Coordinates of all heavy atoms in Angstrom, one line a residue:
M1 N 10.8 28.7 2.0 CA 10.7 27.7 3.1 C 10.7 26.4 2.4 O 9.9 26.1 1.6 CB 9.5 28.0 4.0 CG 9.4 27.0 5.1 SD 7.9 27.2 6.1 CE 8.5 28.6 7.1
K2 N 11.5 25.5 2.9 CA 11.6 24.2 2.3 C 10.5 23.3 2.8 O 10.2 23.3 4.0 CB 13.0 23.6 2.6 CG 13.2 22.3 1.8 CD 14.6 21.8 2.0 CE 14.9 20.5 1.3 NZ 16.2 20.0 1.4
Y3 N 9.9 22.5 1.9 CA 8.9 21.5 2.3 C 9.5 20.3 3.1 O 10.4 19.8 2.6 CB 8.1 21.0 1.1 CG 7.3 19.8 1.4 CD1 6.0 20.0 1.9 CD2 7.7 18.6 1.1 CE1 5.2 18.9 2.2 CE2 6.9 17.5 1.4 CZ 5.7 17.6 1.9 OH 4.9 16.5 2.2
T4 N 8.9 20.0 4.2 CA 9.3 18.8 4.9 C 8.1 18.1 5.4 O 7.1 18.8 5.7 CB 10.3 19.1 6.1 OG1 9.6 19.9 7.0 CG2 11.6 19.7 5.6
A5 N 8.1 16.8 5.5 CA 7.0 16.0 6.0 C 6.7 16.4 7.5 O 5.6 16.4 7.9 CB 7.2 14.5 5.8
A6 N 7.8 16.6 8.2 CA 7.6 16.9 9.6 C 6.8 18.3 9.8 O 6.0 18.4 10.7 CB 9.0 17.0 10.3
R7 N 7.1 19.2 9.0 CA 6.4 20.5 9.1 C 4.9 20.3 8.8 O 4.1 20.9 9.4 CB 7.0 21.5 8.1 CG 6.4 22.9 8.1 CD 7.2 23.9 7.3 NE 8.4 24.2 7.9 CZ 9.6 24.1 7.3 NH1 9.6 23.7 6.0 NH2 10.7 24.3 7.8
V8 N 4.6 19.5 7.8 CA 3.2 19.3 7.5 C 2.5 18.5 8.6 O 1.4 18.9 9.0 CB 3.1 18.4 6.2 CG1 1.6 18.0 5.9 CG2 3.6 19.3 5.0
R9 N 3.2 17.5 9.2 CA 2.6 16.8 10.4 C 2.3 17.8 11.5 O 1.3 17.7 12.1 CB 3.6 15.7 10.8 CG 3.5 14.5 10.1 CD 4.3 13.3 10.7 NE 4.8 12.5 9.7 CZ 6.1 12.5 9.3 NH1 6.9 13.3 9.8 NH2 6.4 11.7 8.3
R10 N 3.3 18.7 11.8 CA 3.0 19.6 12.9 C 1.8 20.5 12.6 O 1.0 20.8 13.5 CB 4.3 20.5 13.2 CG 5.4 19.7 13.9 CD 6.4 20.7 14.4 NE 7.1 21.4 13.3 CZ 8.2 21.0 12.7 NH1 8.7 19.9 12.9 NH2 8.7 21.8 11.7
A11 N 1.7 21.0 11.3 CA 0.6 21.8 11.0 C -0.7 21.1 11.1 O -1.7 21.6 11.6 CB 0.8 22.3 9.5
V12 N -0.8 19.8 10.6 CA -2.0 19.0 10.7 C -2.4 18.8 12.2 O -3.5 18.9 12.6 CB -1.9 17.7 9.9 CG1 -3.1 16.8 10.2 CG2 -1.8 18.0 8.5
L13 N -1.4 18.5 13.0 CA -1.6 18.2 14.4 C -2.2 19.5 15.1 O -3.1 19.4 15.9 CB -0.4 17.7 15.1 CG 0.0 16.3 14.7 CD1 1.4 15.9 15.4 CD2 -1.0 15.3 15.1
R14 N -1.6 20.6 14.8 CA -2.1 21.9 15.4 C -3.5 22.1 14.9 O -4.4 22.6 15.7 CB -1.2 23.0 15.0 CG -0.1 23.3 15.9 CD 0.6 24.5 15.6 NE 2.0 24.2 15.2 CZ 2.5 24.5 14.0 NH1 1.8 25.2 13.1 NH2 3.7 24.1 13.6
A15 N -3.8 21.8 13.6 CA -5.2 22.1 13.1 C -6.2 21.1 13.6 O -7.4 21.4 13.7 CB -5.1 22.0 11.6
T16 N -5.8 19.9 14.0 CA -6.7 18.9 14.5 C -6.9 18.9 16.0 O -7.8 18.2 16.5 CB -6.3 17.5 14.1 OG1 -5.0 17.2 14.6 CG2 -6.2 17.3 12.6
T17 N -6.2 19.7 16.7 CA -6.4 19.8 18.1 C -7.5 20.8 18.4 O -7.3 22.0 18.2 CB -5.1 20.2 18.8 OG1 -4.0 19.3 18.4 CG2 -5.2 20.2 20.3
H18 N -8.6 20.3 18.9 CA -9.7 21.2 19.2 C -9.8 21.4 20.7 O -9.9 20.4 21.4 CB -11.0 20.5 18.7 CG -11.0 20.3 17.2 ND1 -11.1 21.3 16.3 CD2 -10.9 19.1 16.5 CE1 -11.1 20.8 15.1 NE2 -11.0 19.5 15.2
P19 N -9.7 22.6 21.2 CA -9.7 22.8 22.6 C -11.1 22.4 23.3 O -11.1 21.9 24.4 CB -9.5 24.3 22.8 CG -9.8 24.9 21.4 CD -9.6 23.8 20.4
H20 N -12.2 22.5 22.6 CA -13.4 22.1 23.2 C -13.6 20.6 23.3 O -14.3 20.2 24.2 CB -14.6 22.8 22.4 CG -14.7 22.3 21.0 ND1 -14.0 23.0 20.0 CD2 -15.4 21.3 20.4 CE1 -14.2 22.4 18.9 NE2 -15.1 21.4 19.1
T21 N -13.0 19.8 22.5 CA -13.1 18.4 22.6 C -12.0 17.9 23.6 O -12.2 16.9 24.3 CB -12.9 17.7 21.3 OG1 -11.7 18.0 20.7 CG2 -14.1 18.0 20.3
A22 N -10.9 18.5 23.7 CA -9.8 18.1 24.5 C -10.2 18.4 26.0 O -9.7 17.7 26.9 CB -8.5 18.8 24.2
S23 N -11.0 19.4 26.3 CA -11.3 19.8 27.6 C -12.4 18.9 28.2 O -12.7 19.0 29.4 CB -11.7 21.2 27.7 OG -12.8 21.5 27.0
R24 N -13.1 18.2 27.4 CA -14.2 17.3 27.9 C -13.6 16.2 28.8 O -12.5 15.8 28.5 CB -15.0 16.7 26.8 CG -15.8 17.6 26.0 CD -16.6 16.8 25.0 NE -17.3 17.8 24.1 CZ -17.8 17.4 23.0 NH1 -17.9 16.2 22.6 NH2 -18.4 18.3 22.2
G25 N -14.3 15.8 29.7 CA -13.9 14.7 30.6 C -13.9 13.4 29.9 O -14.0 13.3 28.7
P26 N -13.7 12.3 30.6 CA -13.8 11.0 30.0 C -15.2 10.7 29.4 O -16.2 11.0 30.1 CB -13.4 10.0 31.1 CG -13.7 10.8 32.3 CD -13.5 12.2 32.1
G27 N -15.2 10.3 28.2 CA -16.5 10.0 27.6 C -16.3 10.0 26.1 O -15.3 9.8 25.5
R28 N -17.5 10.3 25.4 CA -17.5 10.2 23.9 C -16.6 11.2 23.3 O -16.1 10.9 22.2 CB -18.9 10.5 23.5 CG -19.9 9.4 23.8 CD -21.2 9.7 23.3 NE -21.3 9.7 21.9 CZ -21.7 8.7 21.1 NH1 -22.2 7.7 21.6 NH2 -21.7 8.8 19.8
G29 N -16.4 12.4 23.8 CA -15.6 13.4 23.2 C -14.2 13.0 23.0 O -13.6 13.2 21.9
R30 N -13.6 12.3 24.0 CA -12.2 11.9 23.8 C -12.1 10.8 22.8 O -11.2 10.7 22.0 CB -11.7 11.4 25.2 CG -11.3 12.5 26.1 CD -10.7 11.9 27.4 NE -10.4 13.0 28.3 CZ -9.2 13.5 28.4 NH1 -8.2 13.0 27.7 NH2 -9.0 14.4 29.3
R31 N -13.0 9.8 22.8 CA -12.9 8.7 21.8 C -13.1 9.3 20.4 O -12.4 8.9 19.5 CB -14.0 7.7 22.1 CG -13.6 6.7 23.2 CD -14.6 5.7 23.4 NE -15.7 6.3 24.2 CZ -16.8 5.7 24.5 NH1 -17.1 4.6 24.0 NH2 -17.7 6.4 25.2
R32 N -14.0 10.2 20.3 CA -14.2 10.8 18.9 C -13.0 11.5 18.5 O -12.6 11.5 17.4 CB -15.5 11.7 19.0 CG -15.9 12.1 17.6 CD -17.1 12.8 17.5 NE -18.2 12.1 18.2 CZ -19.2 12.7 18.9 NH1 -19.2 14.0 19.0 NH2 -20.1 12.0 19.4
A33 N -12.4 12.3 19.4 CA -11.2 13.1 19.1 C -10.1 12.1 18.7 O -9.3 12.4 17.8 CB -10.8 14.0 20.2
S34 N -9.9 11.0 19.5 CA -8.8 10.1 19.1 C -9.0 9.4 17.8 O -8.1 9.2 17.1 CB -8.6 9.1 20.3 OG -9.7 8.3 20.4
A35 N -10.3 9.1 17.5 CA -10.6 8.5 16.2 C -10.3 9.5 15.1 O -9.7 9.1 14.0 CB -12.1 8.1 16.2
W36 N -10.7 10.8 15.3 CA -10.3 11.8 14.3 C -8.8 11.9 14.2 O -8.3 12.1 13.1 CB -10.9 13.1 14.6 CG -12.4 13.2 14.2 CD1 -13.5 13.2 15.0 CD2 -12.9 13.3 12.9 NE1 -14.6 13.3 14.3 CE2 -14.3 13.4 12.9 CE3 -12.2 13.3 11.6 CZ2 -15.0 13.4 11.8 CZ3 -13.0 13.4 10.5 CH2 -14.4 13.5 10.6
A37 N -8.1 11.9 15.3 CA -6.7 12.0 15.2 C -6.0 10.8 14.5 O -5.1 11.0 13.7 CB -6.1 12.1 16.6
R38 N -6.5 9.6 14.7 CA -6.0 8.5 14.0 C -6.3 8.6 12.5 O -5.5 8.3 11.6 CB -6.6 7.2 14.5 CG -6.0 6.7 15.8 CD -6.4 5.3 16.2 NE -7.8 5.1 16.2 CZ -8.6 5.2 17.3 NH1 -8.1 5.6 18.4 NH2 -9.9 5.0 17.2
A39 N -7.5 9.0 12.2 CA -7.9 9.2 10.8 C -7.1 10.2 10.1 O -6.6 10.0 8.9 CB -9.4 9.5 10.6
N40 N -6.9 11.3 10.8 CA -6.0 12.4 10.2 C -4.6 12.0 10.0 O -4.0 12.3 9.0 CB -6.1 13.7 11.1 CG -7.4 14.4 10.9 OD1 -8.0 14.3 9.8 ND2 -7.8 15.2 11.9
G41 N -4.1 11.2 11.0 CA -2.8 10.7 10.9 C -2.6 9.7 9.7 O -1.6 9.8 9.0
A42 N -3.6 8.9 9.5 CA -3.6 8.0 8.4 C -3.6 8.7 7.0 O -2.8 8.4 6.1 CB -4.7 7.0 8.4
V43 N -4.5 9.7 7.0 CA -4.6 10.5 5.7 C -3.3 11.3 5.5 O -2.8 11.4 4.4 CB -5.8 11.5 5.8 CG1 -5.8 12.5 4.7 CG2 -7.1 10.7 5.8
L44 N -2.7 11.8 6.6 CA -1.5 12.5 6.5 C -0.3 11.6 5.9 O 0.4 12.0 5.1 CB -1.1 13.1 7.8 CG 0.2 13.9 7.8 CD1 0.2 15.1 6.9 CD2 0.6 14.3 9.2
R45 N -0.2 10.4 6.5 CA 0.8 9.5 6.1 C 0.6 9.1 4.6 O 1.6 9.1 3.8 CB 0.8 8.2 6.9 CG 1.4 8.4 8.3 CD 1.6 7.1 9.0 NE 0.3 6.4 9.2 CZ -0.4 6.6 10.3 NH1 -0.1 7.5 11.2 NH2 -1.6 5.9 10.4
L46 N -0.6 8.9 4.2 CA -0.9 8.5 2.8 C -0.5 9.7 1.8 O 0.1 9.5 0.8 CB -2.4 8.2 2.7 CG -2.8 7.8 1.2 CD1 -2.1 6.5 0.8 CD2 -4.3 7.6 1.2
T47 N -1.0 10.9 2.2 CA -0.7 12.0 1.3 C 0.8 12.3 1.3 O 1.3 12.7 0.2 CB -1.5 13.3 1.7 OG1 -1.2 13.6 3.1 CG2 -3.0 13.1 1.5
T48 N 1.4 12.2 2.4 CA 2.9 12.5 2.4 C 3.6 11.5 1.5 O 4.5 11.8 0.8 CB 3.4 12.4 3.9 OG1 2.7 13.3 4.7 CG2 4.9 12.7 3.9
R49 N 3.2 10.2 1.6 CA 3.8 9.1 0.8 C 3.6 9.4 -0.7 O 4.5 9.2 -1.5 CB 3.3 7.8 1.2 CG 3.8 6.6 0.4 CD 5.3 6.4 0.7 NE 5.8 5.3 -0.1 CZ 6.7 5.4 -1.0 NH1 7.4 6.5 -1.2 NH2 7.1 4.4 -1.7
V50 N 2.4 9.8 -1.0 CA 2.1 10.0 -2.5 C 2.9 11.2 -2.9 O 3.4 11.2 -4.1 CB 0.5 10.3 -2.6 CG1 0.2 10.8 -4.0 CG2 -0.2 9.0 -2.4
Q51 N 3.0 12.3 -2.1 CA 3.7 13.5 -2.5 C 5.2 13.1 -2.7 O 5.8 13.6 -3.7 CB 3.6 14.6 -1.5 CG 2.2 15.3 -1.6 CD 2.1 16.3 -0.5 OE1 2.9 16.4 0.5 NE2 1.0 17.1 -0.6
E52 N 5.7 12.3 -1.8 CA 7.2 11.9 -1.9 C 7.4 11.1 -3.2 O 8.4 11.2 -3.9 CB 7.6 11.1 -0.7 CG 7.7 12.0 0.6 CD 8.0 11.1 1.8 OE1 7.9 9.9 1.7 OE2 8.2 11.7 2.9
G53 N 6.4 10.2 -3.5 CA 6.5 9.4 -4.7 C 6.5 10.3 -6.0 O 7.2 10.1 -6.9
L54 N 5.6 11.3 -6.0 CA 5.5 12.2 -7.1 C 6.8 13.0 -7.3 O 7.3 13.3 -8.4 CB 4.3 13.1 -7.0 CG 2.9 12.4 -7.2 CD1 1.8 13.4 -6.9 CD2 2.8 11.8 -8.5
Q55 N 7.3 13.5 -6.1 CA 8.6 14.2 -6.2 C 9.7 13.3 -6.7 O 10.5 13.8 -7.5 CB 8.9 14.8 -4.8 CG 8.1 15.9 -4.4 CD 8.4 16.3 -2.9 OE1 9.1 15.7 -2.2 NE2 7.7 17.4 -2.5
E56 N 9.8 12.1 -6.3 CA 10.8 11.2 -6.8 C 10.6 10.9 -8.3 O 11.6 10.8 -9.0 CB 10.7 9.8 -6.0 CG 11.7 8.8 -6.4 CD 13.1 9.1 -6.0 OE1 13.3 10.0 -5.1 OE2 14.0 8.5 -6.5
A57 N 9.4 10.7 -8.7 CA 9.2 10.5 -10.1 C 9.6 11.7 -11.0 O 10.1 11.6 -12.1 CB 7.7 10.2 -10.4
A58 N 9.3 12.9 -10.4 CA 9.7 14.2 -11.2 C 11.2 14.3 -11.2 O 11.8 14.8 -12.2 CB 9.1 15.4 -10.5
R59 N 11.9 13.9 -10.1 CA 13.3 14.0 -10.0 C 14.1 13.0 -10.9 O 15.0 13.3 -11.5 CB 13.8 13.8 -8.5 CG 15.2 14.2 -8.3 CD 15.5 14.3 -6.8 NE 15.0 13.2 -6.1 CZ 15.7 12.2 -5.6 NH1 17.0 12.2 -5.7 NH2 15.1 11.3 -4.9
R60 N 13.5 11.7 -10.9 CA 14.1 10.7 -11.7 C 13.0 10.0 -12.6 O 12.4 9.1 -12.2 CB 14.7 9.6 -10.8 CG 15.9 10.0 -10.0 CD 16.5 8.8 -9.3 NE 15.5 7.9 -8.7 CZ 15.7 6.6 -8.5 NH1 16.9 6.1 -8.8 NH2 14.8 5.8 -8.0
P61 N 12.9 10.5 -13.8 CA 11.8 10.0 -14.7 C 12.0 8.5 -15.0 O 11.0 7.8 -15.1 CB 11.8 10.9 -15.9 CG 12.8 11.9 -15.6 CD 13.6 11.6 -14.4
D62 N 13.2 8.1 -15.2 CA 13.5 6.7 -15.5 C 13.9 6.0 -14.3 O 15.0 6.0 -13.8 CB 14.6 6.6 -16.6 CG 14.9 5.2 -17.0 OD1 14.0 4.3 -16.8 OD2 16.0 4.9 -17.4
R63 N 12.9 5.3 -13.6 CA 13.1 4.6 -12.4 C 13.4 3.2 -12.6 O 13.3 2.4 -11.7 CB 11.9 4.8 -11.5 CG 11.7 6.3 -11.1 CD 10.5 6.4 -10.2 NE 9.4 5.5 -10.7 CZ 8.2 5.9 -11.0 NH1 7.9 7.1 -10.9 NH2 7.3 5.1 -11.4
G64 N 13.6 2.7 -13.8 CA 13.8 1.3 -14.1 C 12.5 0.5 -14.1 O 12.4 -0.6 -13.6
D65 N 11.5 1.1 -14.7 CA 10.2 0.4 -14.7 C 10.3 -0.9 -15.6 O 11.2 -0.9 -16.5 CB 9.1 1.3 -15.3 CG 8.7 2.5 -14.4 OD1 9.0 2.3 -13.2 OD2 8.3 3.5 -14.9
I66 N 9.5 -1.8 -15.3 CA 9.5 -3.1 -16.1 C 9.0 -2.9 -17.5 O 8.0 -2.3 -17.7 CB 8.7 -4.2 -15.3 CG1 9.2 -4.4 -14.0 CG2 8.6 -5.4 -16.1 CD1 8.3 -5.4 -13.1
S67 N 9.8 -3.4 -18.4 CA 9.4 -3.2 -19.8 C 8.3 -4.2 -20.2 O 8.0 -5.2 -19.5 CB 10.6 -3.5 -20.8 OG 11.0 -4.8 -20.7
T68 N 7.6 -3.9 -21.3 CA 6.5 -4.7 -21.8 C 7.0 -6.1 -22.1 O 6.3 -7.1 -21.9 CB 5.8 -4.0 -23.0 OG1 5.5 -2.7 -22.7 CG2 4.6 -4.8 -23.5
T69 N 8.2 -6.2 -22.7 CA 8.7 -7.5 -23.1 C 8.9 -8.4 -21.9 O 8.6 -9.6 -21.9 CB 10.1 -7.3 -23.8 OG1 9.9 -6.4 -24.9 CG2 10.6 -8.6 -24.4
T70 N 9.4 -7.8 -20.8 CA 9.6 -8.6 -19.6 C 8.3 -9.1 -19.1 O 8.2 -10.3 -18.6 CB 10.3 -7.7 -18.5 OG1 11.5 -7.2 -19.1 CG2 10.6 -8.5 -17.3
V71 N 7.3 -8.3 -19.1 CA 6.0 -8.7 -18.6 C 5.4 -9.9 -19.5 O 4.9 -10.9 -19.0 CB 5.0 -7.6 -18.6 CG1 3.6 -8.0 -18.3 CG2 5.4 -6.5 -17.6
I72 N 5.6 -9.8 -20.8 CA 5.1 -10.8 -21.7 C 5.9 -12.1 -21.5 O 5.3 -13.2 -21.4 CB 5.3 -10.4 -23.2 CG1 4.3 -9.2 -23.5 CG2 5.1 -11.6 -24.1 CD1 4.5 -8.6 -24.8
I73 N 7.2 -12.1 -21.2 CA 8.0 -13.3 -21.0 C 7.5 -13.9 -19.7 O 7.3 -15.1 -19.6 CB 9.5 -12.9 -20.9 CG1 9.9 -12.6 -22.4 CG2 10.3 -14.1 -20.4 CD1 11.3 -12.0 -22.4
W74 N 7.3 -13.1 -18.6 CA 6.9 -13.7 -17.3 C 5.5 -14.3 -17.4 O 5.2 -15.4 -16.8 CB 6.9 -12.6 -16.2 CG 8.2 -12.5 -15.6 CD1 9.1 -11.5 -15.8 CD2 8.8 -13.3 -14.6 NE1 10.2 -11.7 -15.0 CE2 10.0 -12.8 -14.3 CE3 8.3 -14.5 -14.0 CZ2 10.9 -13.5 -13.4 CZ3 9.2 -15.1 -13.1 CH2 10.4 -14.6 -12.8
V75 N 4.5 -13.7 -18.1 CA 3.2 -14.2 -18.3 C 3.3 -15.5 -19.0 O 2.6 -16.5 -18.7 CB 2.3 -13.2 -19.0 CG1 1.0 -13.9 -19.4 CG2 2.0 -12.0 -18.1
A76 N 4.1 -15.6 -20.1 CA 4.2 -16.9 -20.8 C 4.8 -18.0 -20.0 O 4.4 -19.1 -20.1 CB 5.1 -16.6 -22.1
A77 N 5.8 -17.6 -19.2 CA 6.5 -18.6 -18.3 C 5.5 -19.2 -17.3 O 5.5 -20.4 -17.1 CB 7.7 -18.0 -17.7
V78 N 4.8 -18.3 -16.7 CA 3.8 -18.7 -15.6 C 2.7 -19.6 -16.3 O 2.3 -20.6 -15.7 CB 3.3 -17.5 -14.8 CG1 2.1 -17.9 -14.0 CG2 4.4 -16.9 -14.0
T79 N 2.2 -19.1 -17.4 CA 1.2 -19.9 -18.1 C 1.7 -21.3 -18.5 O 1.0 -22.3 -18.3 CB 0.7 -19.1 -19.4 OG1 0.3 -17.8 -19.0 CG2 -0.4 -19.8 -20.1
G80 N 2.9 -21.3 -19.0 CA 3.5 -22.6 -19.4 C 3.6 -23.6 -18.2 O 3.3 -24.8 -18.2
A81 N 4.0 -23.0 -17.1 CA 4.2 -23.8 -15.8 C 2.9 -24.3 -15.3 O 2.7 -25.5 -14.9 CB 4.9 -23.0 -14.8
V82 N 1.8 -23.5 -15.4 CA 0.5 -23.9 -15.0 C 0.0 -25.0 -15.9 O -0.6 -26.0 -15.4 CB -0.5 -22.7 -14.9 CG1 -1.9 -23.1 -14.7 CG2 -0.1 -21.8 -13.8
L83 N 0.2 -24.9 -17.2 CA -0.3 -25.9 -18.2 C 0.4 -27.2 -18.0 O -0.2 -28.3 -18.0 CB -0.1 -25.4 -19.6 CG -1.1 -24.3 -20.1 CD1 -0.7 -23.8 -21.5 CD2 -2.5 -24.9 -20.1
I84 N 1.7 -27.2 -17.7 CA 2.5 -28.4 -17.5 C 2.0 -29.1 -16.2 O 1.7 -30.3 -16.2 CB 4.0 -28.1 -17.4 CG1 4.5 -27.7 -18.8 CG2 4.7 -29.3 -16.9 CD1 5.9 -27.2 -18.9
A85 N 1.8 -28.3 -15.1 CA 1.3 -28.9 -13.9 C -0.1 -29.4 -14.0 O -0.4 -30.5 -13.5 CB 1.4 -27.8 -12.8
G86 N -0.9 -28.8 -14.8 CA -2.3 -29.2 -15.0 C -2.3 -30.5 -15.8 O -3.1 -31.5 -15.5
T87 N -1.5 -30.6 -16.8 CA -1.4 -31.8 -17.6 C -0.9 -33.0 -16.7 O -1.4 -34.1 -16.9 CB -0.4 -31.6 -18.8 OG1 -0.9 -30.5 -19.5 CG2 -0.4 -32.8 -19.7
I88 N 0.1 -32.8 -15.9 CA 0.6 -33.8 -15.1 C -0.5 -34.3 -14.1 O -0.7 -35.5 -13.9 CB 1.9 -33.4 -14.3 CG1 3.0 -33.2 -15.3 CG2 2.2 -34.3 -13.2 CD1 4.2 -32.6 -14.7
A89 N -1.3 -33.4 -13.5 CA -2.3 -33.7 -12.6 C -3.4 -34.5 -13.3 O -4.0 -35.5 -12.8 CB -2.9 -32.4 -12.0
V90 N -3.8 -34.1 -14.6 CA -4.8 -34.9 -15.3 C -4.3 -36.3 -15.6 O -5.1 -37.3 -15.5 CB -5.2 -34.1 -16.6 CG1 -6.0 -35.0 -17.5 CG2 -5.9 -32.8 -16.3
V91 N -3.1 -36.4 -16.0 CA -2.5 -37.8 -16.3 C -2.5 -38.6 -15.1 O -2.9 -39.8 -15.1 CB -1.1 -37.6 -17.0 CG1 -0.4 -39.0 -17.1 CG2 -1.2 -37.0 -18.4
I92 N -2.1 -38.1 -14.0 CA -2.0 -38.9 -12.7 C -3.4 -39.3 -12.3 O -3.6 -40.4 -11.9 CB -1.3 -38.1 -11.6 CG1 0.2 -38.0 -12.0 CG2 -1.5 -38.7 -10.3 CD1 1.0 -37.2 -11.0
A93 N -4.4 -38.4 -12.4 CA -5.8 -38.7 -12.1 C -6.3 -39.8 -13.0 O -7.1 -40.7 -12.5 CB -6.6 -37.5 -12.1
K94 N -6.0 -39.7 -14.3 CA -6.5 -40.7 -15.2 C -6.0 -42.1 -15.0 O -6.7 -43.1 -15.1 CB -6.2 -40.2 -16.7 CG -6.9 -41.1 -17.7 CD -6.6 -40.5 -19.1 CE -7.2 -41.4 -20.2 NZ -7.0 -40.8 -21.5
Y95 N -4.7 -42.2 -14.8 CA -4.0 -43.5 -14.7 C -3.7 -43.8 -13.2 O -2.7 -44.6 -13.0 CB -2.7 -43.5 -15.5 CG -3.1 -43.3 -17.0 CD1 -2.7 -42.2 -17.7 CD2 -3.6 -44.4 -17.7 CE1 -3.0 -42.0 -19.0 CE2 -3.9 -44.3 -19.0 CZ -3.6 -43.1 -19.7 OH -3.9 -42.9 -21.0
N96 N -4.4 -43.3 -12.3 CA -4.1 -43.5 -10.9 C -4.2 -45.0 -10.5 O -3.3 -45.5 -9.8 CB -5.0 -42.7 -10.0 CG -4.5 -42.6 -8.6 OD1 -3.4 -42.8 -8.3 ND2 -5.4 -42.2 -7.7
G97 N -5.2 -45.7 -10.9 CA -5.4 -47.1 -10.6 C -4.3 -48.0 -11.2 O -3.8 -48.9 -10.6
K98 N -3.9 -47.6 -12.4 CA -2.9 -48.4 -13.1 C -1.5 -48.2 -12.5 O -0.6 -49.1 -12.6 CB -2.9 -48.1 -14.6 CG -4.2 -48.5 -15.3 CD -4.1 -48.1 -16.7 CE -5.5 -48.5 -17.4 NZ -5.5 -48.1 -18.8
L99 N -1.2 -47.0 -12.0 CA 0.1 -46.7 -11.5 C 0.3 -47.3 -10.1 O 1.4 -47.5 -9.7 CB 0.3 -45.1 -11.4 CG 0.4 -44.4 -12.7 CD1 0.4 -42.9 -12.5 CD2 1.6 -44.9 -13.5
S100 N -0.8 -47.6 -9.4 CA -0.6 -48.1 -8.0 C 0.0 -49.5 -8.0 O 0.5 -49.9 -7.0 CB -2.0 -48.1 -7.3 OG -2.9 -49.0 -7.9
G101 N -0.1 -50.3 -9.1 CA 0.4 -51.6 -9.1 C 1.9 -51.7 -9.5 O 2.5 -52.8 -9.5
L102 N 2.5 -50.6 -9.8 CA 3.9 -50.6 -10.2 C 4.9 -51.0 -9.0 O 4.9 -50.7 -8.0 CB 4.4 -49.3 -10.8 CG 3.7 -49.0 -12.1 CD1 4.2 -47.6 -12.6 CD2 4.1 -50.0 -13.2

């Protein structure tokens, strides 16, 4: 039997439907059941997404991950830009009174 996300969703929904909480009238039981259903749905979506990611990683080991060199270049570029902007801000703050007369 082939694994599908829809099959898992149906199994979880069947397992989370409790006849004794669904038969209660309006009140705490319904709110609690809907909270559990939302929580189970969130957990199901998260686990399904993680499983799909692991399957994709197993199917394609080289997914084009960023190399270390690229990360080093980007960090150096951002650091340089921040240093230049900081230097310009310091110079403008220092000579602000003298620049206003130009």
